[in-house]
Amino acid sequence: MDNTENIANLKKQLGDEVVVVMVPFQTQSHLDPFLQFACLISSYGLSVHYLSLPTYNQDTKTRATAINPSDLANIHFHDLQMTPSPLDPDIPSEVPKHFHLFWNVTMHLRQSITSFLRDISSKSRRIVMIYDCLMSYNVQDISSFDNAESYIFNPVISAFGMYCDHIFPHVGLPIPIEQQLLQKLPSSEGWYCDEIMRISSFQVQYIGNSSAGDIHNTSQVMEGTNAFIELLGIGQDKKQWAIGPVLRPTKKEKNGFPCLDWLDKQPPKSVLYVSYDLLTSFSDEQIKELAMGLELSKQKFIWLLYDPDNGDIYLGADLKRKFEFHAGFEERLDGVGLLVRDWAPQTEILAHSSIGGFLCACDWTSCVETITMGVPIIAWPTHSDHPKNGFLLTKMLKIGLVIREWDKKRDEVVTASTIDNVVRKLMASEEGDEVRKRAKELGEAVRKSTEKGGASQMELDYFIAHITR
């Protein structure tokens, strides 16, 4: 985003009078947008401090290959210290066990964060803390500093999803969409597992009145309406800013990723990208059906396959075990599809001219990227806010198709024939071409909104003006 020059000059004069402290939740899907938001704030000349665990700080900086080095150099990284309790390896869970590790980690950072705040508060006129709501317990001491104020940044949830799933059930106000769509709106019942609800409920109780406002990784352009953003502030004396999209920038250089070289050899809009977030865990049977469905469709694809419980991509030694069910599938990969065996930059993949569709679970991070890059989606929700995000993109914005209807059980296996039909409809039909056209037009409008004078850029300007008032 381009900022306003007079605001930037003013902030450079302020120096450390106003210091911004970023406290992300300790998972990569939250760390990356927090870092990008930190760079946007830093571009106004403000001093920005980014707090995270040593390993995550190093990993985040290593992955930030597309960020301007001068922007990254202006971010002060601080390593948080902790002594976590051991994780019970036999703990039952509906979500991958590594999520419990993240939770365990982020319950032991309060002392380290408070110590940092105590030190920096004596050197600054004002501290502006921007934190993830899932870190509310750890940052609760911010209210004890007279020269500090705090704001919540919501990087991984849409305004539509937040209102429908978390606010509407409590305020009793209507959901402002057409009656025909309202009748098809998926229920949240059965999509949020107990662990996620327990974690969210625990953190929310520490928000209290300490937060002076909320920043959202979305916009009126991205969601097609400003109604839900406005509704988020109902009954609260808090300001709301919608500054999205906040996502890692793309870079023209290949950065040594073989998958991008492979994409260079494919025709425009001919490849389907397949990827899921780390909280999505498929059974071997479902992986088999997905692989067979992709093969039946005869469409080119690039598939990033994770092992959620290891937090790693596990195609190495386990590749043969996962795909031995269909003789010849591996041999056909070089000509038809590509299985990615290492971390790859999703934004760069979606921005590539050969990508014609994206099959994913509809976590909001993926939705932000696919909307911004103008790529149509095949929605396959698996948990949490995924159904609402999928509904927003496929039924309201009409830039995608659904792999199955929302009323189906989320653990019900989707057959290869179903996958085949939906993939071919998006990638090789007139209906798919129309969806792709709408997605392209929306992407262009969203990117334009981040330019000088655009809606999202103006929202960011307003936020900077507010915290430096």
Side-chain angles (χ1 to χ4, degrees), residues 317-445:
D318 286 344
L319 176 62
K320 194 174 184 68
R321 179 180 70 82
K322 291 296 180 187
F323 292 99
E324 62 187 2
F325 53 79
H326 194 292
F329 185 80
E330 291 180 59
E331 285 72 16
R332 294 191 62 214
L333 293 178
D334 287 340
V336 178
L338 180 70
L339 290 171
V340 180
R341 301 167 184 261
D342 198 359
W343 179 82
Q346 180 159 289
T347 310
E348 272 91 339
I349 291 175
L350 288 170
H352 200 281
S353 61
S354 68
I355 297 297
F358 183 20
L359 195 163
C360 74
C362 289
D363 59 281
W364 186 242
T365 299
S366 294
C367 290
V368 169
E369 292 173 327
T370 198
I371 290 172
T372 306
M373 299 306 159
V375 176
I377 202 166
I378 295 179
W380 190 341
T382 58
H383 63 80
S384 307
D385 60 339
H386 294 182
K388 295 299 193 303
N389 296 337
F391 185 86
L392 173 65
L393 268 66
T394 62
K395 305 301 184 182
M396 296 173 65
L397 299 176
K398 298 182 180 180
I399 59 168
L401 304 176
V402 181
I403 201 78
R404 62 179 174 186
E405 291 306 316
W406 321 108
D407 57 354
K408 301 292 183 182
K409 293 182 178 179
R410 62 188 177 108
D411 57 353
E412 182 178 305
V413 174
V414 178
T415 65
S417 61
T418 297
I419 296 166
D420 166 33
N421 289 334
V422 178
V423 169
R424 282 191 289 108
K425 182 180 291 186
L426 179 66
M427 301 298 294
S429 75
E430 290 185 3
E431 180 180 349
D433 290 340
E434 286 298 316
V435 172
R436 206 164 359 264
K437 179 182 177 182
R438 287 194 293 270
K440 179 182 177 182
E441 292 172 349
L442 179 58
E444 291 171 347

Side-chain angles (χ1 to χ4, degrees), residues 154 158-160 162-163 167 214 216 227-234 236 240:
N154 297 303
S158 65
F160 174 70
M162 182 179 290
Y163 178 76
I167 296 179
D214 299 328
H216 306 283
F228 296 101
I229 298 169
E230 293 176 347
L231 283 169
L232 294 181
I234 292 292
Q236 304 181 70
Q240 307 288 322

